Amino acid sequence: MQHAKLLVNIILLVSGLSVSYAARDVTSGRTAIAPAAAAAGPTASIDSSGIGAVSGLGVNWGTVTYHPLPTDIVVQLLKDNDIKKLKLFDVDHKILTALAGSDIEVMVTVTNGQLADMGSFDVAKEWVKVNLTRYLELKGGVNIAYVAVGNEPFLKDYNGTFNNVTFPALKNIQNALNAANYSHIKATIPINADVYYSPDYNPVPSAGVWREDIADLMDQIVAFYHNNSAPFTVNIYPFLSLCYGKGKFPVDYAFFDGNPNPLMDNGAAYTNVLDANFDTLASVLNKAGYKNMPIIVGEIGWPTDGDINANVTLAQKFYKGLVKHLATKKGTPLRPNDQMNVYLFSLIDEEGKSILPGDFERHWGIFTYDGQPKFDLDITGKGGKNTLVGAKDVKYFSKEWCVVSPSLTNKTALEANADYACKNSDCTSLGNGSSCSNLDNIGKASYAFNSYFQNFNQQSASCHFDGLATVTTTDPSSGSCKFNVQLAPPPVPIAPAPAPAPASVLNSANGPSNSPSGSPSDQSAKSESDRSALLPIATIVSLLFGLSAFLSV
């Protein structure tokens, strides 16, 4: 019983510690031409249709990457895996255009940085017109079902920054949707699980309450949801409970294998974090008078690298258990026989994300950076031989890698150069407990050099490092440690000749460089400050290395 008491304390306090990272949010799904389920009826639940993926399953598609897969390839990836629900972290023109006619249900997002502006009803109406109408009216239409208003805006770490602007934004967006005859599209705030908790003296789901500093605000929000038949959206992360539990979190409760020591609450047995956390929220809603308000789990997932508990084996175990759990349609003790709707975080790895919360932040995808499955997973829940289908027609740069030169003599400069490479690329697989942590110092330096080399599109000058590196055609990957080859950028369309520049421009410097673009679309106010300017630096660094190489001849 001691483990059981410890479980909910950590579940409810720790699983709510997830930080609002760049590509984090909810997906939910429902047909855009059908009204949402009533928030207070006895049968209120979210319609979860889907031929392939288990009912209730969707994915988050984050795009904080400097080398994104082409949009059409990712949309085809969704179709090939029969994933019917999708959440985006902004309003991405290319993605939404590619989704037209697909019938994939979509949630788009008003970012945290836009919340204050949405305090104006006129601005909200214009936002709906610009960001929804144009896509709903495309040939075949885009099946937009939800608008996410912000991304975990009440997170404790924000210190109340968005507390006064989120609810007005929610009201104006929903009212603007209604005014445009889009009342079937529902506005909902993806909220971190730290907005509710169970007190230390009674750490069970039935004792759940709102966090004191926003309790009145949450009451107003759920009343608005009820009046507009909108769902409550919450992000729940069993992995973070384990990661931040500092060894005190019972590991078995993160998974779905059952537990010999369940947490008992008024006769109900809880054997996993998800059900306990979900029902704590359900308990709070029950006390507020909204027993049947639909709940969407907007984000849930397990990373595969960057932490001792982030690996393919545990991720596969988690997802297999989760899909099986959904397939039973048993619901939770407080919501029995109610189909749980969850959205996996996430679809594809994002190497551009901030690693302030941990190196694992760049490894949440069920697919690798190039759209290939990380593990076998039957998302149909039928227990057959179905498994994930990888992306097709993916184009890469040449099979070349940058490694430490075999003729290395100056080992003293190796560490400094490797550190520099890592600061300008992704070396999160080298940390303790990660997939490449067992490499020796030479191997780790090679990994860093190659990560930098690939990040800057295999430019020859980016594999120099004071003469310590060389390009090889022999794959240096070892076991689970993969040395990637970067995705080749799509062909650049031929543009018409530009108009003659003004004399003031012609007499200035040579103009903008041909540095690669690829800056990810905005996903949240915080994510903008978290991104580094790797791509513009690439051109400068390449020029410097090229000059250095030239002068050394």
Side-chain angles (χ1 to χ4, degrees):
M1 187 60 186
Q2 186 65 26
H3 274 310
K5 289 182 178 179
L6 183 62
L7 162 67
V8 173
N9 267 332
I10 300 178
I11 292 171
L12 304 180
L13 297 178
V14 180
S15 67
L17 290 177
S18 56
V19 184
S20 182
Y21 319 130
R24 181 72 79 75
D25 238 358
V26 224
T27 295
S28 134
R30 223 158 9 129
T31 309
I33 58 172
T43 59
S45 62
I46 296 172
D47 179 23
S48 306
S49 59
I51 298 174
V54 66
S55 183
L57 186 69
V59 296
N60 289 273
W61 178 2
T63 56
V64 184
T65 173
Y66 302 107
H67 301 85
L69 271 170
T71 300
D72 58 336
I73 289 180
V74 180
V75 170
Q76 188 60 49
L77 177 69
L78 294 170
K79 294 177 180 178
D80 289 344
N81 287 281
D82 214 5
I83 295 171
K84 299 293 187 180
K85 301 179 181 183
L86 176 67
K87 197 277 178 183
L88 302 175
F89 292 87
D90 52 13
V91 180
D92 189 297
H93 175 70
K94 286 185 178 180
I95 293 176
L96 290 173
T97 302
L99 288 169
S102 69
D103 201 38
I104 294 173
E105 293 177 351
V106 184
M107 180 186 281
V108 296
T109 297
V110 175
T111 66
N112 286 350
Q114 297 172 310
L115 292 176
D117 291 338
M118 297 304 140
S120 163
F121 183 55
D122 288 339
V123 172
K125 286 194 297 183
E126 185 65 17
W127 188 93
V128 168
K129 178 180 178 181
V130 171
N131 293 288
L132 297 187
T133 300
R134 63 189 298 196
Y135 300 110
L136 294 170
E137 295 180 350
L138 286 175
K139 183 177 181 181
V142 180
N143 193 1
I144 299 173
Y146 298 98
V147 175
V149 180
N151 178 24
E152 300 184 335
F154 306 133
L155 195 72
K156 288 181 181 178
D157 287 358
Y158 284 146
N159 296 316
T161 300
F162 303 108
N163 287 12
N164 294 328
V165 296
T166 302
F167 186 36
L170 174 72
K171 291 189 290 185
N172 283 336
I173 288 293
Q174 186 64 68
N175 290 335
L177 289 168
N178 298 342
N181 293 320
Y182 301 147
S183 59
H184 56 279
I185 300 176
K186 302 302 176 182
T188 180
I189 305 168
I191 290 179
N192 188 278
D194 72 348
V195 301
Y196 53 86
Y197 72 102
S198 289
D200 291 341
Y201 61 83
N202 192 21
V204 292
S206 63
V209 292
W210 296 127
R211 202 175 75 209
E212 288 86 352
D213 62 307
I214 57 169
D216 291 342
L217 178 58
M218 292 307 303
D219 282 339
Q220 295 177 62
I221 288 172
V222 295
F224 186 79
Y225 284 159
H226 169 72
N227 293 335
N228 287 276
S229 300
F232 191 107
T233 302
V234 62
N235 300 337
I236 300 175
Y237 280 93
F239 169 79
L240 295 181
S241 298
L242 181 60
C243 181
Y244 297 148
K246 298 180 180 179
K248 297 180 180 179
F249 182 82
V251 178
D252 291 344
Y253 285 104
F255 302 98
F256 303 91
D257 300 328
N259 196 294
N261 299 302
L263 171 71
M264 300 304 299
D265 182 12
N266 295 327
Y270 290 92
T271 61
N272 66 79
V273 175
L274 175 60
D275 287 355
N277 200 311
F278 186 97
D279 272 4
T280 303
L281 171 59
S283 176
V284 179
L285 292 175
N286 290 352
K287 295 169 186 175
Y290 308 112
K291 184 176 180 179
N292 296 298
M293 179 172 288
I295 298 173
I296 293 173
V297 179
E299 297 177 23
I300 187 169
W302 201 281
T304 56
D305 210 350
D307 183 81
I308 193 170
N309 292 307
N311 55 64
V312 168
T313 300
L314 290 182
Q316 184 182 40
K317 178 181 179 180
F318 177 80
Y319 283 118
K320 280 187 173 182
L322 175 61
V323 171
K324 184 178 179 181
H325 189 56
L326 295 175
T328 65
K329 298 184 179 181
K330 291 182 178 179
T332 66
L334 284 185
R335 296 284 183 98
N337 304 313
D338 189 11
Q339 175 65 66
M340 187 180 290
N341 288 267
V342 307
Y343 299 86
L344 306 184
F345 189 84
S346 64
L347 184 63
I348 299 173
D349 282 349
E350 302 167 80
E351 93 282 11
K353 291 189 67 180
S354 166
I355 58 172
L356 288 176
D359 287 350
F360 53 79
E361 272 302 296
R362 295 176 178 175
H363 304 278
W364 287 100
I366 57 175
F367 292 93
T368 55
Y369 75 105
D370 54 352
Q372 302 311 307
K374 294 182 179 180
F375 41 75
D376 289 334
L377 179 65
D378 173 23
I379 60 173
T380 69
K382 297 176 181 178
K385 295 183 179 180
N386 302 292
T387 191
L388 296 173
V389 178
K392 301 172 182 175
D393 300 321
V394 179
K395 301 295 189 296
Y396 303 82
F397 279 103
S398 302
K399 290 186 177 181
E400 295 181 347
W401 298 264
C402 180
V403 297
V404 174
S405 173
S407 58
L408 171 70
T409 56
N410 184 11
K411 292 185 178 181
T412 57
L414 190 61
E415 182 177 354
N417 277 274
D419 286 346
Y420 176 83
C422 286
K423 289 177 181 177
N424 293 280
S425 61
D426 178 27
C427 292
T428 52
S429 294
L430 293 176
N432 291 335
S434 298
S435 61
C436 298
S437 60
N438 290 329
L439 295 177
D440 60 19
N441 289 339
I442 298 295
K444 290 180 179 179
S446 288
Y447 185 95
F449 290 173
N450 185 66
S451 182
Y452 184 95
F453 178 62
Q454 304 297 340
N455 193 51
F456 295 120
N457 298 336
Q458 295 189 355
Q459 297 178 53
S460 59
S462 62
C463 186
H464 187 264
F465 297 103
D466 293 334
L468 302 176
T470 187
V471 174
T472 180
T473 56
T474 301
D475 187 353
S477 298
S478 176
S480 63
C481 180
K482 304 299 182 184
F483 283 58
N484 293 330
V485 172
Q486 191 52 261
L487 301 175
V492 178
I494 298 176
S504 59
V505 175
L506 293 175
N507 293 332
S508 65
N510 292 329
S513 68
N514 293 321
S515 59
S517 56
S519 176
S521 57
D522 175 76
Q523 297 192 8
S524 74
K526 184 178 180 184
S527 67
E528 290 178 352
S529 63
D530 285 338
R531 297 190 192 115
S532 58
L534 294 183
L535 294 176
I537 291 175
T539 303
I540 299 171
V541 171
S542 296
L543 289 172
L544 291 175
F545 272 130
L547 178 61
S548 175
F550 175 78
L551 294 175
S552 64
V553 174

